[in-house]
Amino acid sequence: MLDIKMKTFCEVLEELYKKVLSGTILEDDSHDYVFYLIPALSNQDCSAASSLEWLNTDSVRGQHQLPSLRVSTIPEAPVYVKRHSQMSDAREMMLLQLTVIKVMVTRILSVETEIHAKEKYRDVIKILLQSNEIDSKLICMFQNSDKLLSHMAAKCLALLLCFQLREKIMLSNSWIAFCQKNLSGYSESDEVIHCLWTLTAVMKEIFKDTCSEKAEILKQFLTPFDTILEVFYDSLFAQHFKNCQKPSRIINSLVCFLELLELLIASRIYLKLHCKSQRILFLKPSCVLDVLTWPIQAFVKRKLIIFIKKCLLYKVGEDLCRGSVPAMISPDHHLDTDMLALANAVLQAVHLGLLKTLSVHRKPSCFGGDEVQPGCAYLCGPDHVILRAASLITMKSLEIKFQSDTSTNEMKVDLHRFMSELLTFLKPHLQPSLQLHNPCEWLSRVFIEQDDDMLEAAKASMGIYLKLTRESEATKRLTQEKEMWIRHTHENGYNPHCIFLFFLKNIGFDSTVLLDFLISSETCFLEYFVRYLKLLQKDWDNFFTICKFFDASESQYGINICGCVSSLVQDRSTNSILPHHLTAPNSHKKGHTWVPRASGDSSEPLNQVVIAKETHTMGDHSLSSPQVSHSLVDYEDSDDSEAESTDQCLVKSEQTSLHQEAIKKIQDPAGLSRDKKEFNHEPQSWPLIAKESTTSFIDCEAAPNNTVSEARIFYRIIKCFKELQDAICRLQKRDLFPYNPAALLKLLKGTEALCIYLLINI
């Protein structure tokens, strides 16, 4: 009799699983289906009941025969299901029960399920929830020593909770009491991890839901746990890792809780939900940052510092929210205030030596594990994930802090202090070492493998530069003070022109790469590029000076700026100062350029350059908030949308002739004694700048005697921008560009016009 019942039970359960998996409408009474979905638990340890115990459970007791369900011919499911001969163990049967419940709820929550089938599934789950305390049984299974059973129980419970929230069914008191009990203080138990995992799984399902009431649903779910989560936060981060009896338990709890914290903050950003539990990180950020000093595994520190980075960039939960959240998000001033508190906490931790505690030496990753056999050498560089994240959280924290009411002097002091800390931290891990003459190269070297982080760091450094520039212009500083400030931007590695030139160098001045960045929505390049073009049109003198210095550095140090870096000079002195090349503002004067000195004077600089200022009055550039990036076409210019697309695409013949005239004028047919063989390796003639100098400004030891400096970098940038402009116009003509590029084209055309004007009037 037992074998017959077990055999019948298994066959019906298998058939039900196939029907639900394929989305077939259930034809029998809902109560009969519920009978087969009730897990049979042993009273001793909440494990699967044995075959004999199964007969005496409430599910079967009193049933003289099992409910009869019709078995119809349905399409075979693309999943192998164990037959009854392989399911003699009650454990297998319980796993199948949990799987059927999980698949059925998933079908209910899916928009692709046929409406009549969904209604029947909904009816079955409602009856299951009402009559048999299924949630209590699933909670009981958390204590099961069988890890697979306990995990499946947690997955089923999370989906059932989502169903209850969607259907506006009150959550069970047993579930709420279970969470409040286990989260009231940290304990090294599996129940804590299951609580955190279930809370996280429910929140993920709510984020993925397509309904318009996600904020209300999430608020209903979080309300019972709003206070208890703060208590757990304090308890967890107050632990002393060295004294833990089971380190693996606290590591699992940390990882689960960090994921939950990320979702809580994401719900505040994307769903505009306001709960106390969403602010616990910002109210006590030092608790989380202290974990970085624990003697804990590297992957935990890596996960933690990436979490901090996501918070500062407003990118928490972006994988779940992408595509379902409007691009334009209204500002949240309270969130900005909280983010300032987090940024200050990060900077305080850096000041106290946080960067020195980070271990960036990683073990090799191999298929056979991370242990290296004796005698087997391996090359394993630093952990660039840690380097990038530590660099970015420092830069972003500085930018956020400077957005507040901070005095100019305080900003300078903070910038010098923290950038010195950062560059000192990075220096041993960048091989070959940074060039003595330009510390700004650190950004392109650290972020070379991660485009999105590189552009975020570049944007942050530009935000810092613009903020200081605006404050400096307001004080109307003297020329000498301006020179000192420009030197400061280079010494501390945040000059935007150097950073942009190194970026262009890394991509080989390839306009198609810039086009890919502009089209892609995965980075902030559009916002960064627009802000840089606006800056460029106001700051030509410094830009051109830096271009000349790049060319000089190539000659002096043997550094191929226009191509790949083949070799870098090693550090000659730890206290070396920045060359004077980069400290000269307002130096473009008509008729004064770089000329060679007498070749016999070896102690004096060989070349000098005087580049005097040509003032171009442009609109004031406003620094955007560190909040989430706005729409891709929001360039803060109301008249940009009125421009006709065809006008943006046409390159007027007058501009073309001016460009040709500029090239002819600067090529200097006489050659000025330059050996033409030097240009055999270059496919194009570079503009030459050779006029008499009257004012000594830049001592350039780079250029050889009796030669004339070439504006190679400057010309390649002009060429790159022109190619980019033409490519955008071609795509726009065919309606292939993903957004209206009118404002961008306007900036590129303005930049091109300034370039041509500068070249003609040299």
Side-chain angles (χ1 to χ4, degrees), residues 468-481:
L468 284 170
T469 301
R470 189 160 55 240
E471 295 294 331
S472 301
E473 290 176 351
T475 59
K476 297 181 179 180
R477 296 179 308 176
L478 300 175
T479 302
Q480 184 178 5
E481 294 176 337

Side-chain angles (χ1 to χ4, degrees), residues 251-529:
I251 289 174
N252 289 336
S253 298
L254 271 172
V255 171
C256 290
F257 193 56
L258 285 177
E259 192 171 4
L260 179 61
L261 280 177
E262 181 176 349
L263 293 174
L264 288 170
I265 299 170
S267 66
R268 184 179 180 186
I269 295 174
Y270 293 98
L271 301 183
K272 295 302 175 184
L273 184 65
H274 299 284
C275 298
K276 186 178 181 181
S277 57
Q278 297 170 313
R279 299 191 62 210
I280 52 180
L281 170 69
F282 305 106
L283 295 176
K284 302 174 184 178
S286 59
C287 296
V288 175
L289 292 169
D290 286 345
V291 177
L292 293 173
T293 64
W294 289 6
I296 201 169
Q297 280 89 335
F299 83 91
V300 180
K301 294 185 178 183
R302 188 183 300 117
K303 186 175 182 67
L304 179 58
I305 199 169
I306 290 174
F307 166 66
I308 299 296
K309 180 192 76 173
K310 286 183 176 181
C311 289
L312 292 171
L313 296 177
Y314 293 78
K315 289 187 175 182
V316 284
E318 63 177 349
D319 296 335
L320 290 172
C321 302
R322 183 173 296 174
S324 61
V325 178
M328 182 68 71
I329 299 177
S330 58
D332 184 343
H333 300 296
H334 296 292
L335 181 59
D336 291 341
T337 302
D338 285 347
M339 209 62 76
L340 176 60
L342 177 60
N344 285 331
V346 170
L347 294 177
Q348 178 66 16
V350 172
H351 177 62
L352 295 176
L354 173 64
L355 298 180
K356 297 183 180 69
T357 66
L358 294 177
S359 175
V360 295
H361 300 287
R362 61 183 179 184
K363 291 184 177 181
S365 298
C366 309
F367 286 110
D370 59 3
E371 297 297 330
V372 179
Q373 297 298 322
C376 297
Y378 68 91
L379 296 175
C380 190
D383 188 341
H384 286 278
V385 174
I386 294 289
L387 292 180
R388 288 193 295 265
S391 303
L392 189 49
I393 66 172
T394 304
M395 292 293 296
K396 195 65 183 178
S397 296
L398 282 171
E399 184 193 18
I400 292 173
K401 181 179 181 179
F402 291 173
Q403 299 303 320
S404 61
D405 295 330
T406 308
S407 66
T408 304
N409 289 334
E410 185 181 351
M411 284 190 287
K412 286 182 180 179
V413 171
D414 285 344
L415 189 61
H416 178 71
R417 178 200 307 164
F418 292 112
M419 289 306 298
S420 297
E421 287 268 0
L422 179 59
L423 293 176
T424 302
F425 165 69
L426 294 173
K427 185 176 179 180
H429 308 295
L430 296 180
Q431 297 299 329
S433 59
L434 287 175
Q435 302 174 29
L436 287 175
H437 56 276
N438 202 334
C440 297
E441 191 190 10
W442 75 268
L443 194 145
S444 61
R445 294 274 297 279
V446 171
F447 295 97
I448 187 66
E449 297 178 357
Q450 195 74 27
D451 295 336
D452 52 348
D453 282 355
M454 176 178 63
L455 293 169
E456 289 287 356
K459 189 176 72 155
S461 68
M462 185 184 296
I464 294 169
Y465 178 87
L466 292 173
K467 177 68 175 178
L468 284 170
T469 301
R470 189 160 55 240
E471 295 294 331
S472 301
E473 290 176 351
T475 59
K476 297 181 179 180
R477 296 179 308 176
L478 300 175
T479 302
Q480 184 178 5
E481 294 176 337
K482 290 182 179 180
E483 290 185 12
M484 293 176 60
W485 177 71
I486 292 175
R487 178 184 292 270
H488 184 270
T489 66
H490 294 286
E491 289 176 343
N492 292 284
Y494 69 99
N495 185 279
H497 301 303
C498 287
I499 290 172
F500 186 73
L501 290 179
F502 277 118
F503 167 69
L504 287 183
K505 181 207 72 171
N506 285 337
I507 64 173
F509 296 87
D510 190 344
S511 62
T512 60
V513 177
L514 297 182
L515 183 63
D516 288 340
F517 277 127
L518 287 172
I519 292 175
S520 172
S521 61
E522 296 179 357
T523 70
C524 63
F525 179 72
L526 175 59
E527 183 183 357
Y528 166 71
F529 191 48

Side-chain angles (χ1 to χ4, degrees), residues 9-21:
F9 196 98
C10 294
E11 288 179 347
V12 173
L13 197 58
E14 283 186 37
E15 187 69 19
L16 177 59
Y17 171 68
K18 290 181 179 180
K19 286 186 175 183
V20 175
L21 191 63

Side-chain angles (χ1 to χ4, degrees), residues 543-591:
F543 171 73
F544 197 79
T545 300
I546 291 170
C547 287
K548 302 290 288 181
F549 171 71
F550 268 60
D551 289 329
S553 299
E554 180 179 359
S555 300
Q556 179 179 0
Y557 296 104
I559 301 166
N560 183 9
I561 296 295
C562 299
C564 299
V565 179
S566 58
S567 63
L568 295 174
V569 65
Q570 296 183 350
D571 294 349
R572 293 177 296 181
S573 172
T574 57
N575 298 319
S576 61
I577 61 173
L578 194 73
H580 193 56
H581 307 53
L582 299 177
T583 64
N586 310 331
S587 52
H588 265 333
K589 285 189 178 178
K590 187 175 179 180

